């Protein structure tokens, strides 16, 4: 589908490589703007309409992970909701398709760059070609073809896609910079070691490093393509960040090791038993008095349904978030307020 013909290095857009051709980039920009306009303009209205429609059908969505199928049926029977979700999903498919097609016109160059970066610093890279990948991590999340682990360039695809799924607000990693600014540090001020789990391409870990220049920073992810690309990306910014392939539920660090542990939009993308193990691991490696900062969708609480009710559940049913219902109904904020800070970024 790609129209790319220009095999040239077009430089960087902030910390993200420009797509190989101007035609691809303007196409993706257009899709991004169209998608964001649609979502921002109609999100609340569609949410209200969806919630009313569910009420009419006597379907209760609060605190229930098993209502996704019912929600899907209701949408299929309502032309307005069905068109909204169809267009939203189509935009997602179209931009992913174009980004991936475009990047693959330079696939060999990219594979070579990633290989070369492996022995380059600053920072380090550790991964295992024989890593025992659990089945749950092989699924296609966010409709990214071959998922996070099934393509050597998955990290680069993901990076180029962040412009769009962060609502066009992540130029130069602005989104992650703001998160780093808002990340609460330990009260005693000691920040010698920082860990980000589920880092994908390391945008938050890198912004935390910029704010805590003397700290040793680790960025871990279960996906080798993510940490390999994240390492390359950090080198471009001359940042000493250590990338390692590691499952969040089996962290290879000693007890009480880190002053700060963060996870940004990891939890809604792992199954509930893995969330439980990850929470325990995050606490194990955190020193007494350290902070654990979790950024994610709203989980359920007494005050509100998780993940924005109807549209959240629909998004997980229709937009490649198979594990989100498990997370947003588990009352993370209420149950875990004691040991860390929990913010809701989106809803
Ligand atoms: C939405 S991305 C995270 C984004 C990133 N933290 C950011 O700030 O943009 C979710 C990441 O979690 C990773 N992941 C999924 N399951 C994991 C696990 N069990 N342990 C570590 N990483 C995992 C995926 O490979 C993916 O890169």
């Amino acid at each position: 589908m790609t129209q790319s013909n220009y095999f040239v290095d077009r430089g960087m857009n902030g910390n993200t490589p420009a797509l190989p051709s101007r035609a691809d980039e303007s196409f993706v920009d257009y899709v991004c703007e169209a998608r964001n306009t649609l979502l921002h303009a109609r999100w609340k209205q569609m949410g209200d309409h969806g919630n009313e429609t569910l009420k009419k059908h006597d379907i209760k969505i609060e605190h229930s992970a098993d209502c996704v199928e019912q929600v899907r049926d209701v949408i299929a029977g309502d032309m307005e909701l069905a068109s909204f979700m169809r267009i939203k999903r189509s935009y997602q498919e179209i931009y992913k398709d174009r980004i991936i097609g475009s990047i693959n016109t330079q696939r060999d160059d990219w594979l070579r760059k990633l290989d070369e970066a492996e022995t380059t610093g600053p920072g380090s890279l550790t991964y295992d070609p024989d890593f025992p990948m659990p089945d749950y991590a092989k699924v296609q999340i966010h409709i990214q073809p071959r998922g996070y682990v099934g393509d050597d360039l998955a990290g680069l695809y993901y990076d180029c896609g962040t412009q769009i799924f962060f609502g066009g607000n992540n130029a130069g990693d602005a989104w992650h910079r703001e998160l780093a600014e808002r990340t609460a540090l330990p009260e005693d001020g000691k920040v010698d070691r920082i860990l980000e789990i589920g880092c994908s391409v390391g945008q938050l870990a890198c912004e935390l490093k910029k704010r805590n220049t003397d700290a040793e920073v680790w960025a871990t992810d279960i996906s080798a393509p993510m940490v390999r690309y994240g390492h390359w990306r950090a080198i471009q910014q001359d940042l000493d960040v250590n990338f390692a392939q590691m499952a969040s539920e089996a962290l290879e660090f000693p007890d009480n090791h880190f002053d700060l542990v963060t996870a940004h939009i990891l939890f809604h993308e792992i199954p509930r038993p893995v969330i439980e193990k990850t929470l325990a691991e995050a606490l194990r490696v955190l020193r007494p008095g350290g902070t654990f900062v979790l950024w994610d969708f709203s989980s359920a609480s007494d005050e509100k349904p998780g993940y924005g009710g109807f549209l959240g559940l629909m998004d997980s049913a229709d937009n490649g978030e198979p594990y989100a219902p498990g997370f947003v109904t588990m009352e993370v904020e209420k149950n875990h307020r004691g040991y860390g800070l929990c913010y809701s970024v989106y809803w």
Side-chain angles (χ1 to χ4, degrees):
M1 144 136 207
T2 180
Q3 305 293 311
S4 302
N5 295 312
Y6 307 99
F7 293 88
V8 292
D9 182 347
R10 295 189 54 254
M12 306 285 279
N13 284 331
N15 300 318
T16 301
L19 288 178
S21 91
R22 200 180 288 275
D24 290 339
E25 200 155 276
S26 55
F27 181 90
V28 169
D29 279 350
Y30 165 76
V31 175
C32 173
E33 287 310 319
R35 180 180 180 273
N36 291 334
T37 305
L38 170 83
L39 292 192
H40 295 154
R42 304 277 290 160
W43 189 259
K44 181 165 184 325
Q45 197 183 341
M46 285 293 106
D48 290 346
H49 178 53
N51 285 329
E52 276 161 27
T53 312
L54 289 180
K55 236 188 247 159
K56 233 189 275 164
H57 289 77
D58 206 22
I59 296 174
K60 294 201 176 16
I61 57 168
E62 282 87 354
H63 297 237
S64 151
D66 57 14
C67 60
V68 169
E69 286 306 320
Q70 289 171 300
V71 171
R72 205 180 260 157
D73 286 347
V74 167
I75 284 172
D78 183 296
M79 206 168 71
E80 209 180 349
L81 291 170
S83 313
F84 178 76
M85 295 311 293
R86 180 63 255 173
I87 294 169
K88 179 174 180 294
R89 184 178 166 128
S90 294
Y91 278 142
Q92 185 113 332
E93 289 167 341
I94 291 166
Y95 85 71
K96 286 259 157 85
D97 189 37
R98 188 72 173 243
I99 284 173
I100 292 173
S102 185
I103 289 169
N104 273 285
T105 61
Q106 299 184 329
R107 187 173 181 88
D108 291 346
D109 291 338
W110 271 108
L111 294 176
R112 184 181 39 76
K113 276 188 214 185
L114 295 183
D115 283 347
E116 285 168 4
E118 288 196 355
T119 49
T120 313
S124 65
L125 172 69
T126 320
Y127 72 97
D128 176 3
D130 300 317
F131 188 86
M133 192 60 67
D135 285 342
Y136 75 78
K138 294 180 192 161
V139 303
Q140 181 179 288
I141 296 217
H142 285 167
I143 321 175
Q144 173 158 324
R146 295 175 293 288
Y148 290 143
V149 302
D151 188 314
D152 287 341
L153 297 184
L156 177 57
Y157 306 154
Y158 181 85
D159 188 12
C160 293
T162 63
Q163 267 303 321
I164 293 151
F165 66 70
F166 287 119
N169 293 326
N170 205 28
D173 296 343
W175 180 279
H176 293 83
R177 195 171 321 121
E178 190 185 328
L179 292 183
E181 282 162 14
R182 291 169 59 196
T183 293
L185 301 178
E187 277 180 13
D188 60 15
K190 183 173 110 47
V191 190
D192 295 337
R193 295 196 197 100
I194 297 174
L195 169 66
E196 186 193 4
I197 52 178
C199 67
S200 64
V201 303
Q203 289 158 301
L204 179 56
C206 285
E207 293 306 317
L208 286 168
K209 177 69 183 174
K210 289 175 193 167
R211 289 182 68 78
N212 301 275
T213 47
D214 292 335
E216 178 182 306
V217 176
W218 285 84
T220 59
D221 197 285
I222 205 163
S223 157
M226 289 290 173
V227 291
R228 291 186 74 218
Y229 174 76
H231 175 58
W232 176 87
R233 197 180 192 274
I235 291 171
Q236 311 315 303
Q237 299 171 71
D238 200 23
L239 289 172
D240 180 359
V241 174
N242 303 295
F243 284 82
Q245 182 183 28
M246 214 180 278
S248 58
E249 63 273 31
L251 295 174
E252 296 160 36
F253 296 107
D255 297 356
N256 307 326
H257 192 65
F258 289 99
D259 303 291
L260 170 67
V261 178
T262 68
H264 174 235
I265 55 174
L266 163 70
F267 276 62
H268 75 274
E269 295 200 346
I270 49 181
R272 197 181 270 207
V274 182
I275 294 176
E276 301 285 4
K277 284 188 196 153
T278 296
L279 282 167
E281 278 293 87
L283 279 192
R284 181 185 64 75
V285 301
L286 189 69
R287 69 156 167 99
T291 49
F292 171 52
V293 180
L294 167 60
W295 304 88
D296 218 302
F297 300 147
S298 302
S299 60
S301 72
D302 290 341
E303 300 87 43
K304 60 183 185 306
Y307 197 10
F310 167 79
L311 283 173
L313 283 172
M314 190 53 220
D315 196 45
S316 69
D318 192 53
N319 202 25
E321 293 285 10
Y323 308 123
F327 169 67
V328 301
T329 55
M330 77 182 280
E331 309 208 345
V332 176
E333 289 161 279
K334 192 169 116 189
N335 293 337
H336 298 287
R337 208 166 272 151
Y339 65 69
L341 298 167
C342 185
Y343 301 102
S344 300
V345 189
Y346 301 104
W347 285 282

